[in-house]
Amino acid sequence: PVITHGSYKKFVKNNSTGIILNSWNSKDYANSLNMISLNRNELIKWSKNAILLSKKLFDKKQYGKKIEKIYS
């Protein structure tokens, strides 16, 4: 899982693959890290979701097709 801040949500899905905070705040980061460390089931679920999202976003065949379209 990832803890980040900002509005770009392609690689991190809030409360599914990690936590997206609105802005940089060290206390919010620390609280989020603490929450994840105390909730092992959520950590495992988010980890599995992150792997599935990565496989979907970075699938070799799909990426190859996109590249072929660009250079065809």
Side-chain angles (χ1 to χ4, degrees):
V2 174
I3 301 173
T4 188
H5 68 278
S7 60
Y8 188 70
K9 297 176 179 165
K10 182 172 184 173
F11 301 114
V12 181
K13 305 296 181 194
N14 199 35
N15 294 318
S16 177
T17 63
I19 297 172
I20 302 175
L21 302 171
N22 291 325
S23 60
W24 165 250
N25 180 308
S26 60
K27 287 184 182 181
D28 289 344
Y29 270 79
N31 289 337
S32 297
L33 192 59
N34 187 50
M35 186 273 300
I36 290 174
S37 70
L38 294 175
N39 193 338
R40 182 86 175 146
N41 290 334
E42 199 75 7
L43 176 68
I44 291 168
K45 182 175 83 173
W46 288 3
S47 296
K48 289 177 182 179
N49 290 343
I51 291 168
L52 292 174
L53 180 61
S54 295
K55 286 180 179 181
K56 179 181 171 185
L57 290 174
F58 304 110
D59 179 72
K60 290 186 276 186
K61 289 181 182 179
Q62 292 298 323
Y63 188 72
K65 288 178 184 178
K66 290 178 185 178
I67 296 296
E68 283 178 1
K69 283 183 183 178
I70 292 170
Y71 292 104
S72 296

